[in-house]
Amino acid sequence: EAGVTQFPSHSVIEKGQTVTLRCDPISGHDNLYWYRRVMGKEIKFLLHFVKESKQDESGMPNNRFLAERTGGTYSTLKVQPAELEDSGVYFCASSQDVRPGAGRYYNEQFFGPGTRLTVL
Amino acid sequence: GDSVTQMEGPVTLSEEAFLTINCTYTATGYPSLFWYVQYPGEGLQLLLKATKADDKGSNKGFEATYRKETTSFHLEKGSVQVSDSAVYFCALSDRGGSYIPTFGRGTSLIVHP
């Protein structure tokens, strides 16, 4: 079974340009998450899709970031226009159904290899 | 809010040495605790987890015990191998919330032959 895949693996762009990152989750996983790790810092949550709906986008830094998941399959994360502080590694993860309230239930997230974004 | 603090790296060891990577946490609730590992060129993988106090998570020779009294979840391995070279992330997840992990900064481990 294929894991979570992300494209591209690396992207180098200039400030002010637009970049689109893509994530293909594991087939059948309704939940898709985006995270970001700025150099040497914590991995920070950006947003969570359940199928095609945004369940939680509280981690999105500002309106230069736009995430979509049309059809509930793959997702894209667009940064427009990119700024220097957007540099980092963007991770995508997917998981099966989450059952909130089911006691100590943890639904494992499977992560992709990340896209390293460098804004010059 | 919730947070995780890990020892800074890189940690450099010789093969067969003993490994400890310290991790402490702050949480308002009663979280589950995790260690993730990222090998070069790969995504994060769940290494082990513990869901209640005094639980010991273990996998691939790594262990960590959930210590509620010291709010710690230190990662240990008795004898590291070159193949253990990776970045290790400690994380917590609030059971009552969204199950989205709060991560530490990661600790790079380099094991020399």
Side-chain angles (χ1 to χ4, degrees):
Chain A
E1 180 183 333
V4 176
T5 57
Q6 293 187 243
F7 181 83
S9 56
H10 294 86
S11 181
V12 181
I13 62 172
E14 295 193 349
K15 176 183 171 181
Q17 290 186 320
T18 297
V19 63
T20 299
L21 313 181
R22 173 171 168 143
C23 169
D24 286 79
I26 293 172
S27 177
H29 281 192
D30 288 341
N31 295 279
L32 187 148
Y33 310 81
W34 283 99
Y35 297 84
R36 176 174 72 174
R37 184 186 188 211
V38 173
M39 178 69 78
K41 301 210 170 177
E42 299 88 348
I43 299 171
K44 292 284 195 183
F45 166 76
L46 297 178
L47 88 159
H48 170 205
F49 284 100
V50 178
K51 297 184 180 177
E52 66 276 8
S53 299
K54 291 176 185 174
Q55 182 76 12
D56 180 354
E57 52 184 331
S58 61
M60 293 288 264
N62 52 61
N63 59 10
R64 294 186 294 103
F65 288 75
L66 174 64
E68 295 180 323
R69 193 183 181 195
T70 306
T73 54
Y74 71 92
S75 174
T76 58
L77 179 65
K78 180 189 287 188
V79 185
Q80 179 182 27
E83 298 289 344
L84 299 179
E85 64 264 25
D86 299 333
S87 296
V89 180
Y90 290 77
F91 292 101
C92 175
S94 70
S95 70
Q96 293 178 317
D97 290 344
V98 174
R99 291 177 281 157
R104 294 170 181 171
Y105 178 79
Y106 172 71
N107 197 48
E108 182 175 351
Q109 296 182 24
F110 296 86
F111 284 78
T115 292
R116 181 175 295 279
L117 174 63
T118 302
V119 183
L120 303 175
Chain B
D2 295 348
S3 67
V4 175
T5 302
Q6 293 180 234
M7 61 189 290
E8 289 198 21
V11 173
T12 304
L13 295 173
S14 297
E15 207 164 22
E16 299 184 2
F18 184 86
L19 168 71
T20 300
I21 299 178
N22 290 337
C23 171
T24 57
Y25 68 89
T26 302
T28 52
Y30 190 172
S32 295
L33 303 176
F34 310 90
W35 277 100
Y36 285 82
V37 58
Q38 184 184 19
Y39 298 104
E42 298 182 15
L44 276 76
Q45 303 171 24
L46 180 63
L47 179 61
L48 54 84
K49 67 179 186 283
T51 58
K52 61 182 188 296
D54 299 325
D55 266 3
K56 178 185 284 188
S58 61
N59 186 25
K60 299 182 181 181
F62 291 89
E63 293 183 340
T65 302
Y66 191 143
R67 300 289 187 200
K68 195 166 186 288
E69 64 277 13
T70 55
T71 62
S72 65
F73 193 54
H74 304 322
L75 182 68
E76 296 182 337
K77 186 174 185 183
S79 175
V80 294
Q81 305 299 312
V82 172
S83 58
D84 293 327
S85 298
V87 182
Y88 292 81
F89 294 89
C90 185
L92 66 83
S93 179
D94 179 1
R95 295 170 183 166
S98 60
Y99 302 94
I100 292 170
T102 297
F103 289 94
R105 292 191 172 198
T107 302
S108 176
L109 170 66
I110 301 168
V111 181
H112 293 295

